[in-house]
């Protein structure tokens, strides 16, 4: 199953999932699909970058938000490791289903 087939199926089933896409720097357009407890699909171009971005994607998913993260091409994240290194910007897009409790609060006429 492709990354997009897996993404579509997870969204339809309301399962939490995050898609990481390189938007600036080396490997623009590379994608990584991350689901809690599942194997990561795709690559951003380096195994360590994949590992760090997957970790960050799970954190964004847990928080229920999306955002842009910046790394070195080999997953570097600390300022001293990024000196004179090309930057990679990755957009992490999260699909985190709302909990039943939160959904019922939104639908309640009392609120």
């Amino acid at each position: 199953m492709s990354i997009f087939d897996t993404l579509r199926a997870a969204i339809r089933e309301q399962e939490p999932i995050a898609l990481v896409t390189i938007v600036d720097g080396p490997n623009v357009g590379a994608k990584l699909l991350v689901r809690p407890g599942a194997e990561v699909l795709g690559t951003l171009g380096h195994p360590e970058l994949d590992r760090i971005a997957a970790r960050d994607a799970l954190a964004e998913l847990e928080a229920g938000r999306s955002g842009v993260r910046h790394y070195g091409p080999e997953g570097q994240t600390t300022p001293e490791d990024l000196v004179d290194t090309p930057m990679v910007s990755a957009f992490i897009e999260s699909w985190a289903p709302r909990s039943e409790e939160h959904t019922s609060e939104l639908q309640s006429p009392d609120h």
Side-chain angles (χ1 to χ4, degrees):
M1 190 180 292
S2 76
I3 286 177
F4 293 109
D5 290 338
T6 304
L7 176 63
R8 181 177 45 240
I11 292 170
R12 284 184 177 161
E13 295 298 317
Q14 296 188 14
E15 297 172 357
I17 195 162
L19 180 65
V20 183
T21 305
I22 300 296
V23 294
D24 192 30
N27 298 320
V28 168
K31 297 184 182 334
L32 194 71
L33 193 64
V34 182
R35 297 172 291 167
E39 185 176 329
V40 172
L41 299 177
T43 184
L44 301 177
H46 190 277
E48 189 63 12
L49 178 57
D50 292 347
R51 185 185 72 77
I52 297 296
R55 177 200 67 191
D56 290 349
L58 288 173
E60 292 289 309
L61 192 55
E62 178 77 21
R65 64 179 183 230
S66 298
V68 176
R69 297 285 183 108
H70 306 282
Y71 309 101
E74 297 177 0
Q76 303 94 320
T77 57
T78 59
E80 54 273 5
D81 289 339
L82 293 170
V83 173
D84 298 324
T85 302
M87 293 291 292
V88 174
S89 297
F91 178 58
I92 301 172
E93 190 168 7
S94 297
W95 287 271
R98 296 184 186 271
S99 68
E100 290 294 323
E101 180 180 304
H102 182 73
T103 302
S104 64
E105 286 177 6
L106 291 175
Q107 294 173 349
S108 173
D110 298 334
H111 290 135

